[in-house]
Amino acid sequence: MTSTVPVVTDIAYQDLLDDPYPVFRRLREMAPAVFVESARLTLVTRFDDITRIERDPATYSADNPASLVNRVMGPTFMRKDGAEHAIGRKAIEPSFRPATIKEYWAPKFTAIAETLIGDLSAADEADLFAALAAPMASLSLLAMIGFREMPWQILAEWSQALIDGAGNYAADAEIERKAMQASADVDTAIDAALELHRSNPNPSILSSMVNADPQMPIEAIRANIKVIIGGGLNEPRDAILTLVLGLLENPVQKDSVLAKPELWPSALEEAVRWISPIGMYPRRVTRSVDLSGAALPEGLQIGLCVGAANRDGSRFADPDRFDVTRPKQSHLAFGAGPHFCAGTWVSRLTVGKIVAPMLFERLRNLRLREEAPPVVRGWVFRGPVSLPVRWDS
Ligand code: HEM
């Protein structure tokens, strides 16, 4: 039997920002798709439904001229389907090749981590958000994009403003103003850097774009770089912090990972399943369709809550628990289908093989500070915004 999409009016937007997981559970149990008034969006929360949607891009399109990402960043390949998407994706591919990651990026990212963690060694406490994860993610992405001699804080500010704008489902005017300003500033920085990368080909993303596809219009270059600034900084930052948080809150698991370093990759996968840095992304329904018994009309905007799917009890046992020993099972934190995250392997390397192992190895007896508990926030994008820790100097 097919039913219309139910409407929920009693969820405050602040509840989603503070802790979306009780809301996600309620929506998952209620129906395959539910319109949440405060989010102004129909949300899909079940693992199998999102997987099915991502296998059918003709029915569930990433292309949506009205999407907030397009509004803030311009016509990016992340919000295109088929050939148009493939052109943009192919243009950045040289920077993400496994050999380039291993031989070119890994030594650079290791050097960045060594400097930041080396600086921490002089103290005995810090907030890992500002002291490690934010600069680590920002400096790595500055290098990957090919922006030179720019303070990491600038890229971090642009990234935050752009993703706040892309997640501005409550239509806050100040968030929109900051996002549009960041967007204009990124355009200026790209324009200033392009000639250097055109005349000196190198593994950076700007260089890949201008040299792999010399015909790519400047609007597409700008929009695609903004997607990478929005998608390539806060997510690895949040993944670093979530992984560290999960381990510090579960000392037995932490000890087993430290005793068996081969567990680091599973620990990273578990961290992004447990608290997915991108909790929701949108798709547009291109024809009237039945989704597991829910009638979705043509043109409907839906939000795929991968953060909810990654805690779907029909797929993951005891899903709210952080458990690095859970049986290996694919999750949706890096998306699925044609738009599967381009930065997956770079993130697996940076977070799971470089930063987190080095942090625990160099800072002895790393632990949470009881008097300053961590703060985790967000639902479209989610992660610790503060992670105060202490260690033995
Ligand atoms: C733990 C870290 C990360 C997570 C959890 C993550 C998650 C995701 C997700 C869920 C998507 C799909 C979005 C959609 O379809 O709307 C995506 C796409 C994307 N990500 Fe990531 N990401 C991470 C790191 C990175 C990094 C470091 C980069 C670049 C340096 C990056 C670049 C991209 C790009 C370019 C896309 C668009 C792909 C396409 O449309 O074909 N991501 N990411």
Side-chain angles (χ1 to χ4, degrees):
M1 205 184 77
T2 308
S3 347
T4 51
V5 171
V7 176
V8 170
T9 57
D10 63 348
I11 294 169
Y13 199 75
Q14 193 61 44
D15 291 345
L16 280 166
L17 292 173
D18 291 344
D19 181 3
Y21 290 110
V23 175
F24 285 160
R25 174 188 295 240
R26 180 176 160 203
L27 302 181
R28 245 186 353 247
E29 286 168 3
M30 188 183 286
V34 179
F35 181 79
V36 175
E37 196 179 56
S38 57
R40 303 178 190 191
L41 200 59
T42 298
L43 301 182
V44 178
T45 48
R46 297 178 185 166
F47 190 94
D48 290 347
D49 288 335
I50 295 181
T51 307
R52 200 168 304 135
I53 286 170
E54 288 293 57
R55 284 192 189 130
D56 184 4
T59 307
Y60 302 98
S61 171
D63 189 347
N64 185 356
S67 94
L68 285 169
V69 168
N70 275 21
R71 183 186 169 91
V72 170
M73 304 188 192
T76 145
F77 71 106
M78 196 176 74
R79 291 287 169 264
K80 297 261 188 287
D81 297 324
E84 278 187 294
H85 165 253
I87 290 170
R89 180 89 187 213
K90 193 159 177 278
I92 62 169
E93 187 268 334
S95 306
F96 292 88
R97 283 184 189 142
T100 309
I101 292 175
K102 195 168 156 213
E103 286 152 29
Y104 190 82
W105 297 121
K108 290 200 172 349
F109 298 161
T110 304
I112 295 169
E114 274 175 347
T115 304
L116 292 169
I117 294 172
D119 288 350
L120 284 177
S121 310
D124 63 1
E125 62 176 48
D127 185 332
L128 290 181
F129 181 98
L132 176 67
M136 180 71 218
S138 190
L139 288 164
S140 307
L141 194 65
L142 276 174
M144 271 202 94
I145 290 176
F147 282 149
R148 301 191 182 167
E149 290 160 28
M150 185 185 289
W152 69 262
Q153 290 87 345
I154 301 246
L155 193 72
E157 277 166 23
W158 287 344
S159 177
Q160 193 59 53
L162 290 172
I163 70 165
D164 285 349
N168 188 16
Y169 288 87
D172 182 301
E174 181 59 10
I175 291 179
E176 164 134 4
R177 189 196 62 74
K178 283 190 181 156
M180 299 319 274
Q181 182 61 55
S183 187
D185 292 346
V186 174
D187 290 347
T188 307
I190 292 172
D191 293 352
L194 274 188
E195 192 39 49
L196 177 85
H197 291 292
R198 210 172 262 127
S199 48
N200 298 288
N202 59 75
S204 74
I205 297 170
L206 273 172
S207 177
S208 294
M209 277 182 178
V210 287
N211 296 308
D213 180 3
Q215 307 308 319
M216 183 174 281
I218 182 69
E219 293 74 27
I221 294 177
R222 288 170 170 175
N224 295 342
I225 288 291
K226 282 172 209 165
V227 156
I228 288 166
I229 294 175
L233 195 158
N234 292 20
E235 291 72 12
R237 178 197 72 197
D238 295 350
I240 292 169
L241 295 168
T242 298
L243 174 53
V244 174
L245 176 65
L247 292 175
L248 293 182
E249 281 184 344
N250 296 277
V252 175
Q253 295 186 46
K254 180 196 74 183
D255 290 344
S256 36
V257 174
L258 297 188
K260 281 197 212 161
E262 65 273 20
L263 285 178
W264 276 113
S266 326
L268 166 67
E269 300 304 320
E270 174 60 0
V272 295
R273 180 206 67 81
W274 178 54
I275 301 181
S276 304
I278 294 187
M280 186 279 284
Y281 54 83
R283 292 290 182 259
R284 184 174 51 89
V285 179
T286 60
R287 62 177 175 91
S288 296
V289 67
D290 176 318
L291 175 72
S292 303
L296 307 184
E298 180 183 341
L300 184 73
Q301 267 255 55
I302 54 175
L304 307 190
C305 296
V306 288
N310 284 336
R311 293 214 192 175
D312 186 333
S314 70
R315 178 158 180 97
F316 303 102
D318 198 1
D320 293 329
R321 191 176 130 74
F322 175 84
D323 180 2
V324 300
T325 64
R326 73 174 58 245
K328 197 171 176 181
Q329 223 169 0
S330 62
H331 56 73
L332 293 170
F334 293 108
H339 295 275
F340 183 71
C341 174
T344 304
W345 289 100
V346 161
S347 305
R348 285 178 171 151
L349 170 86
T350 321
V351 182
K353 294 200 172 153
I354 298 176
V355 183
M358 192 189 291
L359 181 74
F360 281 94
E361 189 189 294
R362 307 258 170 109
L363 303 185
R364 273 188 310 124
N365 192 18
L366 189 67
R367 56 200 185 273
L368 294 171
R369 286 176 53 199
E370 266 171 36
E371 70 284 14
V375 180
V376 182
R377 206 173 284 150
W379 76 286
V380 177
F381 302 96
R382 185 165 180 83
V385 291
S386 168
L387 183 54
V389 291
R390 176 169 291 144
W391 58 91
D392 298 344
S393 52

